[in-house]
Amino acid sequence: DVKVTQSSRYLVKRTGEKVFLECVQDMDHENMFWYRQDPGLGLRLIYFSYDVKMKEKGDIPEGYSVSREKKERFSLILESASTNQTSMYLCASSFQGLAYQETQYFGPGTRLLVL
Amino acid sequence: RKEVEQDPGPFNVPEGATVAFNCTYSNSASQSFFWYRQDCRKEPKLLMSVYSSGNEDGRFTAQLNRASQYISLLIRDSKLSDSATYLCVVTGMNTGFQKLVFGTGTRLLVSP
């Protein structure tokens, strides 16, 4: 079974703090993704990576950065957390398919509250 | 206009009922289509891919209509365990990489 794990299920931080969210997958997937999910807005792509040290901006990268130093690990960084970054953060991974998007497997999510 | 639109529901149905959800998408270049299921406070999980010819997996049937740009999910003989949010997902382009675009989901509540 594919397993995607996230470092925390729940996190409470203060405005201005630096926040690290870590994601690890055990299936040797090339692609990894970070989404946030908010009521009424669905899942929105923040950043993705298709290889070690490679990253691409998604739809809402502002206020976030990422790091992929190892194939199995993809970190999301909030340099200076703000209250509008309170959300559910979901990590996902997938194989690098040829023509079509491969299935994405999600981690359990991290609920971040920024006070 | 949203890239993927779904009726948020909730759809309240009794056990044993048949229920159908539709989803429309705006990008005619989308190539892959999926339904994901998300239980309350859990992560999304792939329910089924949607093929051009339509496909069936047990009680679940998915259809794609490219001309009208919509996909559908039919659930027959609903079970209590089918209660969840169903996410319509299509592919879109992002700097040459096919990304997944998620609808906001349709909530299904199956009651005894």
Side-chain angles (χ1 to χ4, degrees):
Chain A
D1 260 1
V2 175
K3 195 157 186 190
V4 181
T5 56
Q6 294 184 228
S7 49
S8 306
R9 293 299 301 273
Y10 301 94
L11 215 48
V12 180
K13 295 291 181 181
R14 296 210 173 271
T15 300
E17 278 193 82
K18 193 168 185 175
V19 182
F20 292 88
L21 302 181
E22 197 162 71
C23 174
V24 178
Q25 50 93 5
D26 67 358
M27 282 301 291
D28 203 34
H29 285 169
E30 292 85 4
N31 302 329
M32 296 189 76
F33 308 83
W34 274 106
Y35 295 88
R36 63 178 282 177
Q37 185 174 28
D38 301 287
L41 296 176
L43 275 84
R44 293 180 291 166
L45 182 64
I46 304 171
Y47 266 97
F48 64 95
S49 168
Y50 51 88
D51 202 352
V52 176
K53 297 193 186 294
M54 304 303 288
K55 60 184 179 184
E56 292 285 346
K57 292 181 180 179
D59 299 318
I60 50 163
E62 297 78 20
Y64 303 94
S65 62
V66 291
S67 171
R68 187 135 181 234
E69 296 296 318
K70 292 185 177 181
K71 190 175 185 180
E72 67 271 18
R73 198 175 296 264
F74 192 34
S75 301
L76 180 70
I77 301 138
L78 287 66
E79 295 289 341
S80 177
S82 63
T83 54
N84 63 12
Q85 292 178 310
T86 291
S87 187
M88 165 77 123
Y89 289 88
L90 288 156
C91 174
S93 71
S94 72
F95 284 114
Q96 197 154 69
L98 293 174
Y100 297 99
Q101 182 61 259
E102 299 291 337
T103 302
Q104 289 189 14
Y105 297 89
F106 285 84
T110 296
R111 288 192 178 274
L112 173 66
L113 173 62
V114 183
L115 300 173
Chain B
R1 184 186 168 189
K2 287 183 181 177
E3 286 189 76
V4 179
E5 297 214 49
Q6 295 182 252
D7 181 341
F11 284 58
N12 289 286
V13 302
E15 266 187 296
T18 296
V19 63
F21 311 135
N22 284 334
C23 158
T24 57
Y25 61 95
S26 61
N27 184 357
S28 59
S30 294
Q31 295 183 359
S32 298
F33 308 88
F34 309 90
W35 284 101
Y36 275 69
R37 172 196 167 125
Q38 187 172 24
D39 292 302
C40 189
R41 305 184 78 82
K42 296 284 183 81
E43 71 273 22
K45 292 184 180 178
L46 179 69
L47 177 67
M48 59 198 303
S49 301
V50 187
Y51 305 122
S52 296
S53 54
N55 49 305
E56 189 173 311
D57 182 3
R59 298 181 293 108
F60 298 84
T61 301
Q63 298 277 357
L64 167 64
N65 185 319
R66 284 189 186 271
S68 301
Q69 291 182 210
Y70 78 82
I71 68 175
S72 64
L73 178 68
L74 181 79
I75 305 175
R76 290 181 298 279
D77 189 23
S78 299
K79 311 289 185 194
L80 295 177
S81 57
D82 294 334
S83 296
T85 297
Y86 292 84
L87 306 176
C88 172
V89 185
V90 306
T91 51
M93 293 304 289
N94 180 306
T95 62
F97 180 87
Q98 286 224 1
K99 64 171 186 177
L100 293 185
V101 181
F102 288 79
T104 53
T106 296
R107 195 161 165 228
L108 172 66
L109 298 171
V110 181
S111 53

